[in-house]
Amino acid sequence: MYYHKTSAEQNKAWGIKGQDLLRLATFFKTGRYPIERVMVVAGGLAQKPAHYLSREGVPVSHLLDDQSLDQPTRLIAGGVFTGRGISQASHLGFYDYALHLMPEGQEPEFLSFFRLGLNKASFSRTYA
């Protein structure tokens, strides 16, 4: 669309996900709003990454029943780059189809290169 449309007035477009298209077709066919949705639990700390057939607005704690969070974990609803951080007590929103379990970032120690120690962050294997 970007290369074929020359002006801002022509550049009016919208998109829909395949899962939403099937839900919309089910709604028109049956007359009932389908609340089932396929959710994915994935990420670096997901011990059992899987797809789940669940309800819209599912609690995060329900999706984490099969997972054990042993270390500090960042929960991200949606994509890893475009998602938002959530807690275990919240719910997935209307536009969320994924729950990513990522390790919580360990902030480096302030001015660590001035302090002595064996477990200091270094770009090389040397420590002055």
Side-chain angles (χ1 to χ4, degrees):
M1 298 291 296
Y2 177 78
Y3 295 106
H4 299 293
K5 305 297 181 180
T6 57
S7 67
E9 293 83 27
Q10 293 178 341
N11 211 2
K12 303 231 187 305
W14 59 275
I16 188 169
K17 294 183 180 182
Q19 187 175 181
D20 291 333
L21 183 65
L22 292 174
R23 293 174 69 215
L24 191 61
T26 303
F27 172 69
F28 286 132
K29 183 178 178 182
T30 63
R32 298 181 64 198
Y33 181 73
I35 58 173
E36 290 184 340
R37 185 178 280 197
V38 177
M39 303 284 186
V40 63
V41 176
L45 294 181
Q47 294 165 345
K48 297 178 183 176
H51 289 84
Y52 295 98
L53 182 61
S54 183
R55 295 175 57 107
E56 189 175 282
V58 63
V60 173
S61 60
H62 179 71
L63 291 175
L64 295 177
D65 284 344
D66 294 341
Q67 312 290 331
S68 63
L69 305 177
D70 299 335
Q71 53 184 322
T73 305
R74 180 175 296 182
L75 303 174
I76 302 172
V80 175
F81 295 117
T82 59
R84 59 184 169 73
I86 58 173
S87 68
Q88 290 186 11
S90 63
H91 296 76
L92 289 182
F94 181 76
Y95 296 107
D96 299 329
Y97 292 95
L99 177 65
H100 292 278
L101 310 174
M102 304 299 289
E104 189 67 45
Q106 300 292 334
E107 297 299 325
E109 185 180 343
F110 181 66
L111 297 176
S112 64
F113 52 88
F114 285 126
R115 298 185 180 172
L116 296 176
L118 297 175
N119 297 328
K120 300 295 181 182
S122 175
F123 291 111
S124 65
R125 295 184 181 196
T126 61
Y127 181 74

